[in-house]
mmCIF file with all atom_site columns, all heavy atoms in Angstrom:
data_model
loop_
_atom_site.group_PDB
_atom_site.id
_atom_site.type_symbol
_atom_site.label_atom_id
_atom_site.label_alt_id
_atom_site.label_comp_id
_atom_site.label_asym_id
_atom_site.label_entity_id
_atom_site.label_seq_id
_atom_site.pdbx_PDB_ins_code
_atom_site.Cartn_x
_atom_site.Cartn_y
_atom_site.Cartn_z
_atom_site.occupancy
_atom_site.B_iso_or_equiv
_atom_site.pdbx_formal_charge
_atom_site.auth_seq_id
_atom_site.auth_comp_id
_atom_site.auth_asym_id
_atom_site.auth_atom_id
_atom_site.pdbx_PDB_model_num
ATOM 1   N N   . LYS H 1 68 ? -54.248 11.564 54.333 1.00 0.00 ? 254 LYS H N   1
ATOM 2   C CA  . LYS H 1 68 ? -53.360 12.447 53.754 1.00 0.00 ? 254 LYS H CA  1
ATOM 3   C C   . LYS H 1 68 ? -54.193 13.328 52.965 1.00 0.00 ? 254 LYS H C   1
ATOM 4   O O   . LYS H 1 68 ? -55.053 12.844 52.200 1.00 0.00 ? 254 LYS H O   1
ATOM 5   C CB  . LYS H 1 68 ? -52.214 11.816 53.017 1.00 0.00 ? 254 LYS H CB  1
ATOM 6   C CG  . LYS H 1 68 ? -51.122 12.709 52.732 1.00 0.00 ? 254 LYS H CG  1
ATOM 7   C CD  . LYS H 1 68 ? -49.888 11.827 52.600 1.00 0.00 ? 254 LYS H CD  1
ATOM 8   C CE  . LYS H 1 68 ? -48.594 12.583 52.839 1.00 0.00 ? 254 LYS H CE  1
ATOM 9   N NZ  . LYS H 1 68 ? -48.496 13.251 54.094 1.00 0.00 ? 254 LYS H NZ  1
ATOM 10  N N   . ALA H 1 69 ? -53.855 14.656 52.831 1.00 0.00 ? 255 ALA H N   1
ATOM 11  C CA  . ALA H 1 69 ? -54.774 15.581 52.120 1.00 0.00 ? 255 ALA H CA  1
ATOM 12  C C   . ALA H 1 69 ? -53.855 16.681 51.464 1.00 0.00 ? 255 ALA H C   1
ATOM 13  O O   . ALA H 1 69 ? -52.730 16.954 51.911 1.00 0.00 ? 255 ALA H O   1
ATOM 14  C CB  . ALA H 1 69 ? -55.756 16.163 52.948 1.00 0.00 ? 255 ALA H CB  1
ATOM 15  N N   . SER H 1 70 ? -54.475 17.255 50.413 1.00 0.00 ? 256 SER H N   1
ATOM 16  C CA  . SER H 1 70 ? -53.839 18.354 49.748 1.00 0.00 ? 256 SER H CA  1
ATOM 17  C C   . SER H 1 70 ? -54.857 19.487 49.410 1.00 0.00 ? 256 SER H C   1
ATOM 18  O O   . SER H 1 70 ? -55.856 19.118 48.670 1.00 0.00 ? 256 SER H O   1
ATOM 19  C CB  . SER H 1 70 ? -53.137 17.927 48.545 1.00 0.00 ? 256 SER H CB  1
ATOM 20  O OG  . SER H 1 70 ? -52.565 18.958 47.863 1.00 0.00 ? 256 SER H OG  1
ATOM 21  N N   . PRO H 1 71 ? -54.788 20.690 49.888 1.00 0.00 ? 257 PRO H N   1
ATOM 22  C CA  . PRO H 1 71 ? -53.758 21.118 50.755 1.00 0.00 ? 257 PRO H CA  1
ATOM 23  C C   . PRO H 1 71 ? -53.801 20.437 52.135 1.00 0.00 ? 257 PRO H C   1
ATOM 24  O O   . PRO H 1 71 ? -54.932 20.031 52.514 1.00 0.00 ? 257 PRO H O   1
ATOM 25  C CB  . PRO H 1 71 ? -54.003 22.656 50.935 1.00 0.00 ? 257 PRO H CB  1
ATOM 26  C CG  . PRO H 1 71 ? -55.499 22.758 50.628 1.00 0.00 ? 257 PRO H CG  1
ATOM 27  C CD  . PRO H 1 71 ? -55.785 21.744 49.537 1.00 0.00 ? 257 PRO H CD  1
ATOM 28  N N   . ALA H 1 72 ? -52.654 20.412 52.820 1.00 0.00 ? 258 ALA H N   1
ATOM 29  C CA  . ALA H 1 72 ? -52.658 19.831 54.185 1.00 0.00 ? 258 ALA H CA  1
ATOM 30  C C   . ALA H 1 72 ? -53.232 20.663 55.227 1.00 0.00 ? 258 ALA H C   1
ATOM 31  O O   . ALA H 1 72 ? -52.426 21.251 56.013 1.00 0.00 ? 258 ALA H O   1
ATOM 32  C CB  . ALA H 1 72 ? -51.185 19.334 54.517 1.00 0.00 ? 258 ALA H CB  1
ATOM 33  N N   . ASP H 1 73 ? -54.514 20.778 55.313 1.00 0.00 ? 259 ASP H N   1
ATOM 34  C CA  . ASP H 1 73 ? -55.165 21.772 56.171 1.00 0.00 ? 259 ASP H CA  1
ATOM 35  C C   . ASP H 1 73 ? -55.591 20.934 57.502 1.00 0.00 ? 259 ASP H C   1
ATOM 36  O O   . ASP H 1 73 ? -54.682 20.349 58.151 1.00 0.00 ? 259 ASP H O   1
ATOM 37  C CB  . ASP H 1 73 ? -56.367 22.422 55.539 1.00 0.00 ? 259 ASP H CB  1
ATOM 38  C CG  . ASP H 1 73 ? -55.956 23.636 54.708 1.00 0.00 ? 259 ASP H CG  1
ATOM 39  O OD1 . ASP H 1 73 ? -54.938 24.223 55.058 1.00 0.00 ? 259 ASP H OD1 1
ATOM 40  O OD2 . ASP H 1 73 ? -56.599 23.936 53.703 1.00 0.00 ? 259 ASP H OD2 1
ATOM 41  N N   . ARG H 1 74 ? -56.923 20.820 57.712 1.00 0.00 ? 260 ARG H N   1
ATOM 42  C CA  . ARG H 1 74 ? -57.398 20.184 58.851 1.00 0.00 ? 260 ARG H CA  1
ATOM 43  C C   . ARG H 1 74 ? -58.603 19.290 58.512 1.00 0.00 ? 260 ARG H C   1
ATOM 44  O O   . ARG H 1 74 ? -59.316 19.644 57.509 1.00 0.00 ? 260 ARG H O   1
ATOM 45  C CB  . ARG H 1 74 ? -57.955 21.291 59.795 1.00 0.00 ? 260 ARG H CB  1
ATOM 46  C CG  . ARG H 1 74 ? -56.858 22.193 60.342 1.00 0.00 ? 260 ARG H CG  1
ATOM 47  C CD  . ARG H 1 74 ? -57.361 23.459 60.963 1.00 0.00 ? 260 ARG H CD  1
ATOM 48  N NE  . ARG H 1 74 ? -56.265 24.174 61.613 1.00 0.00 ? 260 ARG H NE  1
ATOM 49  C CZ  . ARG H 1 74 ? -56.266 25.430 61.797 1.00 0.00 ? 260 ARG H CZ  1
ATOM 50  N NH1 . ARG H 1 74 ? -57.188 26.234 61.327 1.00 0.00 ? 260 ARG H NH1 1
ATOM 51  N NH2 . ARG H 1 74 ? -55.234 25.979 62.498 1.00 0.00 ? 260 ARG H NH2 1
ATOM 52  N N   . LEU H 1 75 ? -58.866 18.245 59.348 1.00 0.00 ? 261 LEU H N   1
ATOM 53  C CA  . LEU H 1 75 ? -59.911 17.347 58.994 1.00 0.00 ? 261 LEU H CA  1
ATOM 54  C C   . LEU H 1 75 ? -61.088 17.695 59.870 1.00 0.00 ? 261 LEU H C   1
ATOM 55  O O   . LEU H 1 75 ? -61.015 17.728 61.074 1.00 0.00 ? 261 LEU H O   1
ATOM 56  C CB  . LEU H 1 75 ? -59.519 15.894 59.251 1.00 0.00 ? 261 LEU H CB  1
ATOM 57  C CG  . LEU H 1 75 ? -60.514 14.920 59.007 1.00 0.00 ? 261 LEU H CG  1
ATOM 58  C CD1 . LEU H 1 75 ? -60.940 14.847 57.595 1.00 0.00 ? 261 LEU H CD1 1
ATOM 59  C CD2 . LEU H 1 75 ? -60.131 13.423 59.424 1.00 0.00 ? 261 LEU H CD2 1
ATOM 60  N N   . TYR H 1 76 ? -62.208 17.823 59.251 1.00 0.00 ? 262 TYR H N   1
ATOM 61  C CA  . TYR H 1 76 ? -63.490 18.114 60.039 1.00 0.00 ? 262 TYR H CA  1
ATOM 62  C C   . TYR H 1 76 ? -64.483 17.137 59.832 1.00 0.00 ? 262 TYR H C   1
ATOM 63  O O   . TYR H 1 76 ? -64.556 16.334 58.745 1.00 0.00 ? 262 TYR H O   1
ATOM 64  C CB  . TYR H 1 76 ? -64.076 19.487 59.504 1.00 0.00 ? 262 TYR H CB  1
ATOM 65  C CG  . TYR H 1 76 ? -63.287 20.656 59.902 1.00 0.00 ? 262 TYR H CG  1
ATOM 66  C CD1 . TYR H 1 76 ? -62.317 21.213 59.058 1.00 0.00 ? 262 TYR H CD1 1
ATOM 67  C CD2 . TYR H 1 76 ? -63.654 21.423 61.014 1.00 0.00 ? 262 TYR H CD2 1
ATOM 68  C CE1 . TYR H 1 76 ? -61.556 22.350 59.448 1.00 0.00 ? 262 TYR H CE1 1
ATOM 69  C CE2 . TYR H 1 76 ? -63.004 22.529 61.431 1.00 0.00 ? 262 TYR H CE2 1
ATOM 70  C CZ  . TYR H 1 76 ? -61.920 22.985 60.629 1.00 0.00 ? 262 TYR H CZ  1
ATOM 71  O OH  . TYR H 1 76 ? -61.224 24.122 61.040 1.00 0.00 ? 262 TYR H OH  1
ATOM 72  N N   . MET H 1 77 ? -65.317 16.919 60.800 1.00 0.00 ? 263 MET H N   1
ATOM 73  C CA  . MET H 1 77 ? -66.442 15.936 60.731 1.00 0.00 ? 263 MET H CA  1
ATOM 74  C C   . MET H 1 77 ? -67.793 16.703 60.990 1.00 0.00 ? 263 MET H C   1
ATOM 75  O O   . MET H 1 77 ? -67.869 17.589 61.790 1.00 0.00 ? 263 MET H O   1
ATOM 76  C CB  . MET H 1 77 ? -66.292 14.799 61.790 1.00 0.00 ? 263 MET H CB  1
ATOM 77  C CG  . MET H 1 77 ? -67.429 13.793 61.770 1.00 0.00 ? 263 MET H CG  1
ATOM 78  S SD  . MET H 1 77 ? -67.084 12.538 62.996 1.00 0.00 ? 263 MET H SD  1
ATOM 79  C CE  . MET H 1 77 ? -67.647 13.297 64.520 1.00 0.00 ? 263 MET H CE  1
ATOM 80  N N   . ARG H 1 78 ? -68.786 16.285 60.255 1.00 0.00 ? 264 ARG H N   1
ATOM 81  C CA  . ARG H 1 78 ? -70.069 16.835 60.431 1.00 0.00 ? 264 ARG H CA  1
ATOM 82  C C   . ARG H 1 78 ? -71.027 15.656 60.751 1.00 0.00 ? 264 ARG H C   1
ATOM 83  O O   . ARG H 1 78 ? -71.007 14.596 60.128 1.00 0.00 ? 264 ARG H O   1
ATOM 84  C CB  . ARG H 1 78 ? -70.627 17.604 59.189 1.00 0.00 ? 264 ARG H CB  1
ATOM 85  C CG  . ARG H 1 78 ? -70.050 19.010 59.124 1.00 0.00 ? 264 ARG H CG  1
ATOM 86  C CD  . ARG H 1 78 ? -70.598 19.776 57.934 1.00 0.00 ? 264 ARG H CD  1
ATOM 87  N NE  . ARG H 1 78 ? -70.295 21.180 57.918 1.00 0.00 ? 264 ARG H NE  1
ATOM 88  C CZ  . ARG H 1 78 ? -70.435 22.011 56.878 1.00 0.00 ? 264 ARG H CZ  1
ATOM 89  N NH1 . ARG H 1 78 ? -70.994 21.487 55.747 1.00 0.00 ? 264 ARG H NH1 1
ATOM 90  N NH2 . ARG H 1 78 ? -70.130 23.231 57.002 1.00 0.00 ? 264 ARG H NH2 1
ATOM 91  N N   . ILE H 1 79 ? -72.047 15.959 61.616 1.00 0.00 ? 265 ILE H N   1
ATOM 92  C CA  . ILE H 1 79 ? -73.055 15.035 61.997 1.00 0.00 ? 265 ILE H CA  1
ATOM 93  C C   . ILE H 1 79 ? -74.282 15.526 61.458 1.00 0.00 ? 265 ILE H C   1
ATOM 94  O O   . ILE H 1 79 ? -74.671 16.616 61.656 1.00 0.00 ? 265 ILE H O   1
ATOM 95  C CB  . ILE H 1 79 ? -73.122 14.891 63.455 1.00 0.00 ? 265 ILE H CB  1
ATOM 96  C CG1 . ILE H 1 79 ? -71.824 14.379 64.161 1.00 0.00 ? 265 ILE H CG1 1
ATOM 97  C CG2 . ILE H 1 79 ? -74.285 13.885 63.892 1.00 0.00 ? 265 ILE H CG2 1
ATOM 98  C CD1 . ILE H 1 79 ? -71.777 14.365 65.621 1.00 0.00 ? 265 ILE H CD1 1
ATOM 99  N N   . ASN H 1 80 ? -75.045 14.693 60.667 1.00 0.00 ? 266 ASN H N   1
ATOM 100 C CA  . ASN H 1 80 ? -76.365 14.996 60.030 1.00 0.00 ? 266 ASN H CA  1
ATOM 101 C C   . ASN H 1 80 ? -76.348 16.335 59.268 1.00 0.00 ? 266 ASN H C   1
ATOM 102 O O   . ASN H 1 80 ? -77.350 17.020 59.178 1.00 0.00 ? 266 ASN H O   1
ATOM 103 C CB  . ASN H 1 80 ? -77.360 15.097 61.146 1.00 0.00 ? 266 ASN H CB  1
ATOM 104 C CG  . ASN H 1 80 ? -77.555 13.742 61.848 1.00 0.00 ? 266 ASN H CG  1
ATOM 105 O OD1 . ASN H 1 80 ? -76.980 12.758 61.404 1.00 0.00 ? 266 ASN H OD1 1
ATOM 106 N ND2 . ASN H 1 80 ? -78.381 13.727 62.881 1.00 0.00 ? 266 ASN H ND2 1
ATOM 107 N N   . GLY H 1 81 ? -75.143 16.656 58.692 1.00 0.00 ? 267 GLY H N   1
ATOM 108 C CA  . GLY H 1 81 ? -75.095 17.908 57.918 1.00 0.00 ? 267 GLY H CA  1
ATOM 109 C C   . GLY H 1 81 ? -75.123 19.204 58.749 1.00 0.00 ? 267 GLY H C   1
ATOM 110 O O   . GLY H 1 81 ? -75.215 20.236 58.148 1.00 0.00 ? 267 GLY H O   1
ATOM 111 N N   . GLY H 1 82 ? -74.997 18.993 60.054 1.00 0.00 ? 268 GLY H N   1
ATOM 112 C CA  . GLY H 1 82 ? -75.036 20.282 60.908 1.00 0.00 ? 268 GLY H CA  1
ATOM 113 C C   . GLY H 1 82 ? -73.911 21.134 60.687 1.00 0.00 ? 268 GLY H C   1
ATOM 114 O O   . GLY H 1 82 ? -72.843 20.701 60.221 1.00 0.00 ? 268 GLY H O   1
ATOM 115 N N   . THR H 1 83 ? -74.043 22.430 60.938 1.00 0.00 ? 269 THR H N   1
ATOM 116 C CA  . THR H 1 83 ? -73.039 23.398 60.670 1.00 0.00 ? 269 THR H CA  1
ATOM 117 C C   . THR H 1 83 ? -72.559 24.214 61.883 1.00 0.00 ? 269 THR H C   1
ATOM 118 O O   . THR H 1 83 ? -71.985 25.275 61.789 1.00 0.00 ? 269 THR H O   1
ATOM 119 C CB  . THR H 1 83 ? -73.463 24.339 59.530 1.00 0.00 ? 269 THR H CB  1
ATOM 120 O OG1 . THR H 1 83 ? -74.630 25.030 59.968 1.00 0.00 ? 269 THR H OG1 1
ATOM 121 C CG2 . THR H 1 83 ? -73.709 23.592 58.269 1.00 0.00 ? 269 THR H CG2 1
ATOM 122 N N   . SER H 1 84 ? -72.899 23.790 63.177 1.00 0.00 ? 270 SER H N   1
ATOM 123 C CA  . SER H 1 84 ? -72.489 24.498 64.346 1.00 0.00 ? 270 SER H CA  1
ATOM 124 C C   . SER H 1 84 ? -71.971 23.552 65.349 1.00 0.00 ? 270 SER H C   1
ATOM 125 O O   . SER H 1 84 ? -72.727 22.652 65.814 1.00 0.00 ? 270 SER H O   1
ATOM 126 C CB  . SER H 1 84 ? -73.757 25.302 64.828 1.00 0.00 ? 270 SER H CB  1
ATOM 127 O OG  . SER H 1 84 ? -73.373 25.981 65.980 1.00 0.00 ? 270 SER H OG  1
ATOM 128 N N   . TYR H 1 85 ? -70.777 23.685 65.774 1.00 0.00 ? 271 TYR H N   1
ATOM 129 C CA  . TYR H 1 85 ? -70.136 22.749 66.691 1.00 0.00 ? 271 TYR H CA  1
ATOM 130 C C   . TYR H 1 85 ? -69.217 23.512 67.709 1.00 0.00 ? 271 TYR H C   1
ATOM 131 O O   . TYR H 1 85 ? -68.706 24.614 67.278 1.00 0.00 ? 271 TYR H O   1
ATOM 132 C CB  . TYR H 1 85 ? -69.227 21.753 65.914 1.00 0.00 ? 271 TYR H CB  1
ATOM 133 C CG  . TYR H 1 85 ? -70.001 20.906 64.923 1.00 0.00 ? 271 TYR H CG  1
ATOM 134 C CD1 . TYR H 1 85 ? -70.239 21.431 63.660 1.00 0.00 ? 271 TYR H CD1 1
ATOM 135 C CD2 . TYR H 1 85 ? -70.492 19.675 65.317 1.00 0.00 ? 271 TYR H CD2 1
ATOM 136 C CE1 . TYR H 1 85 ? -70.908 20.715 62.688 1.00 0.00 ? 271 TYR H CE1 1
ATOM 137 C CE2 . TYR H 1 85 ? -71.190 18.906 64.386 1.00 0.00 ? 271 TYR H CE2 1
ATOM 138 C CZ  . TYR H 1 85 ? -71.449 19.425 63.085 1.00 0.00 ? 271 TYR H CZ  1
ATOM 139 O OH  . TYR H 1 85 ? -72.156 18.699 62.157 1.00 0.00 ? 271 TYR H OH  1
ATOM 140 N N   . TYR H 1 86 ? -69.133 22.959 68.843 1.00 0.00 ? 272 TYR H N   1
ATOM 141 C CA  . TYR H 1 86 ? -68.155 23.379 69.807 1.00 0.00 ? 272 TYR H CA  1
ATOM 142 C C   . TYR H 1 86 ? -66.977 22.527 69.835 1.00 0.00 ? 272 TYR H C   1
ATOM 143 O O   . TYR H 1 86 ? -67.160 21.198 69.948 1.00 0.00 ? 272 TYR H O   1
ATOM 144 C CB  . TYR H 1 86 ? -68.722 23.628 71.233 1.00 0.00 ? 272 TYR H CB  1
ATOM 145 C CG  . TYR H 1 86 ? -69.911 24.526 71.283 1.00 0.00 ? 272 TYR H CG  1
ATOM 146 C CD1 . TYR H 1 86 ? -71.195 24.099 71.275 1.00 0.00 ? 272 TYR H CD1 1
ATOM 147 C CD2 . TYR H 1 86 ? -69.590 25.892 71.327 1.00 0.00 ? 272 TYR H CD2 1
ATOM 148 C CE1 . TYR H 1 86 ? -72.213 25.032 71.408 1.00 0.00 ? 272 TYR H CE1 1
ATOM 149 C CE2 . TYR H 1 86 ? -70.552 26.801 71.477 1.00 0.00 ? 272 TYR H CE2 1
ATOM 150 C CZ  . TYR H 1 86 ? -71.933 26.359 71.461 1.00 0.00 ? 272 TYR H CZ  1
ATOM 151 O OH  . TYR H 1 86 ? -72.965 27.309 71.537 1.00 0.00 ? 272 TYR H OH  1
ATOM 152 N N   . ASN H 1 87 ? -65.763 22.977 69.877 1.00 0.00 ? 273 ASN H N   1
ATOM 153 C CA  . ASN H 1 87 ? -64.595 22.213 69.814 1.00 0.00 ? 273 ASN H CA  1
ATOM 154 C C   . ASN H 1 87 ? -63.693 22.580 70.929 1.00 0.00 ? 273 ASN H C   1
ATOM 155 O O   . ASN H 1 87 ? -63.425 23.772 71.271 1.00 0.00 ? 273 ASN H O   1
ATOM 156 C CB  . ASN H 1 87 ? -63.750 22.439 68.507 1.00 0.00 ? 273 ASN H CB  1
ATOM 157 C CG  . ASN H 1 87 ? -64.482 21.989 67.282 1.00 0.00 ? 273 ASN H CG  1
ATOM 158 O OD1 . ASN H 1 87 ? -64.322 20.816 66.826 1.00 0.00 ? 273 ASN H OD1 1
ATOM 159 N ND2 . ASN H 1 87 ? -65.293 22.861 66.634 1.00 0.00 ? 273 ASN H ND2 1
ATOM 160 N N   . HIS H 1 88 ? -63.095 21.526 71.554 1.00 0.00 ? 274 HIS H N   1
ATOM 161 C CA  . HIS H 1 88 ? -62.075 21.685 72.602 1.00 0.00 ? 274 HIS H CA  1
ATOM 162 C C   . HIS H 1 88 ? -61.054 20.628 72.545 1.00 0.00 ? 274 HIS H C   1
ATOM 163 O O   . HIS H 1 88 ? -61.481 19.459 72.363 1.00 0.00 ? 274 HIS H O   1
ATOM 164 C CB  . HIS H 1 88 ? -62.704 21.777 74.024 1.00 0.00 ? 274 HIS H CB  1
ATOM 165 C CG  . HIS H 1 88 ? -63.523 22.949 74.319 1.00 0.00 ? 274 HIS H CG  1
ATOM 166 N ND1 . HIS H 1 88 ? -64.851 22.871 73.941 1.00 0.00 ? 274 HIS H ND1 1
ATOM 167 C CD2 . HIS H 1 88 ? -63.321 24.150 74.863 1.00 0.00 ? 274 HIS H CD2 1
ATOM 168 C CE1 . HIS H 1 88 ? -65.409 24.101 74.253 1.00 0.00 ? 274 HIS H CE1 1
ATOM 169 N NE2 . HIS H 1 88 ? -64.442 24.910 74.812 1.00 0.00 ? 274 HIS H NE2 1
ATOM 170 N N   . PHE H 1 89 ? -59.786 21.026 72.569 1.00 0.00 ? 275 PHE H N   1
ATOM 171 C CA  . PHE H 1 89 ? -58.746 20.028 72.560 1.00 0.00 ? 275 PHE H CA  1
ATOM 172 C C   . PHE H 1 89 ? -57.549 20.454 73.365 1.00 0.00 ? 275 PHE H C   1
ATOM 173 O O   . PHE H 1 89 ? -57.369 21.623 73.502 1.00 0.00 ? 275 PHE H O   1
ATOM 174 C CB  . PHE H 1 89 ? -58.431 19.472 71.199 1.00 0.00 ? 275 PHE H CB  1
ATOM 175 C CG  . PHE H 1 89 ? -57.870 20.539 70.245 1.00 0.00 ? 275 PHE H CG  1
ATOM 176 C CD1 . PHE H 1 89 ? -56.564 20.836 70.224 1.00 0.00 ? 275 PHE H CD1 1
ATOM 177 C CD2 . PHE H 1 89 ? -58.707 21.180 69.331 1.00 0.00 ? 275 PHE H CD2 1
ATOM 178 C CE1 . PHE H 1 89 ? -55.993 21.855 69.352 1.00 0.00 ? 275 PHE H CE1 1
ATOM 179 C CE2 . PHE H 1 89 ? -58.195 22.151 68.432 1.00 0.00 ? 275 PHE H CE2 1
ATOM 180 C CZ  . PHE H 1 89 ? -56.808 22.428 68.478 1.00 0.00 ? 275 PHE H CZ  1
ATOM 181 N N   . MET H 1 90 ? -56.613 19.428 73.714 1.00 0.00 ? 276 MET H N   1
ATOM 182 C CA  . MET H 1 90 ? -55.460 19.806 74.279 1.00 0.00 ? 276 MET H CA  1
ATOM 183 C C   . MET H 1 90 ? -54.406 19.048 73.553 1.00 0.00 ? 276 MET H C   1
ATOM 184 O O   . MET H 1 90 ? -54.685 18.036 72.900 1.00 0.00 ? 276 MET H O   1
ATOM 185 C CB  . MET H 1 90 ? -55.316 19.431 75.799 1.00 0.00 ? 276 MET H CB  1
ATOM 186 C CG  . MET H 1 90 ? -55.576 17.914 76.085 1.00 0.00 ? 276 MET H CG  1
ATOM 187 S SD  . MET H 1 90 ? -55.477 17.554 77.877 1.00 0.00 ? 276 MET H SD  1
ATOM 188 C CE  . MET H 1 90 ? -53.831 17.936 78.254 1.00 0.00 ? 276 MET H CE  1
ATOM 189 N N   . TYR H 1 91 ? -53.112 19.524 73.557 1.00 0.00 ? 277 TYR H N   1
ATOM 190 C CA  . TYR H 1 91 ? -52.056 18.995 72.831 1.00 0.00 ? 277 TYR H CA  1
ATOM 191 C C   . TYR H 1 91 ? -50.702 19.256 73.444 1.00 0.00 ? 277 TYR H C   1
ATOM 192 O O   . TYR H 1 91 ? -50.615 20.144 74.237 1.00 0.00 ? 277 TYR H O   1
ATOM 193 C CB  . TYR H 1 91 ? -52.027 19.707 71.332 1.00 0.00 ? 277 TYR H CB  1
ATOM 194 C CG  . TYR H 1 91 ? -51.834 21.149 71.377 1.00 0.00 ? 277 TYR H CG  1
ATOM 195 C CD1 . TYR H 1 91 ? -50.520 21.608 71.373 1.00 0.00 ? 277 TYR H CD1 1
ATOM 196 C CD2 . TYR H 1 91 ? -52.839 22.035 71.542 1.00 0.00 ? 277 TYR H CD2 1
ATOM 197 C CE1 . TYR H 1 91 ? -50.292 23.035 71.467 1.00 0.00 ? 277 TYR H CE1 1
ATOM 198 C CE2 . TYR H 1 91 ? -52.634 23.435 71.591 1.00 0.00 ? 277 TYR H CE2 1
ATOM 199 C CZ  . TYR H 1 91 ? -51.402 23.911 71.512 1.00 0.00 ? 277 TYR H CZ  1
ATOM 200 O OH  . TYR H 1 91 ? -51.190 25.239 71.651 1.00 0.00 ? 277 TYR H OH  1
ATOM 201 N N   . GLY H 1 92 ? -49.784 18.405 73.132 1.00 0.00 ? 278 GLY H N   1
ATOM 202 C CA  . GLY H 1 92 ? -48.391 18.605 73.429 1.00 0.00 ? 278 GLY H CA  1
ATOM 203 C C   . GLY H 1 92 ? -47.558 18.755 72.267 1.00 0.00 ? 278 GLY H C   1
ATOM 204 O O   . GLY H 1 92 ? -47.502 17.888 71.416 1.00 0.00 ? 278 GLY H O   1
#
Side-chain angles (χ1 to χ4, degrees):
Chain H
K254 197 153 205 53
S256 177
D259 280 330
R260 296 159 168 157
L261 179 63
Y262 288 87
M263 180 177 78
R264 280 181 171 170
I265 300 173
N266 297 353
T269 58
S270 179
Y271 301 83
Y272 296 102
N273 294 268
H274 293 85
F275 62 84
M276 60 181 295
Y277 61 89

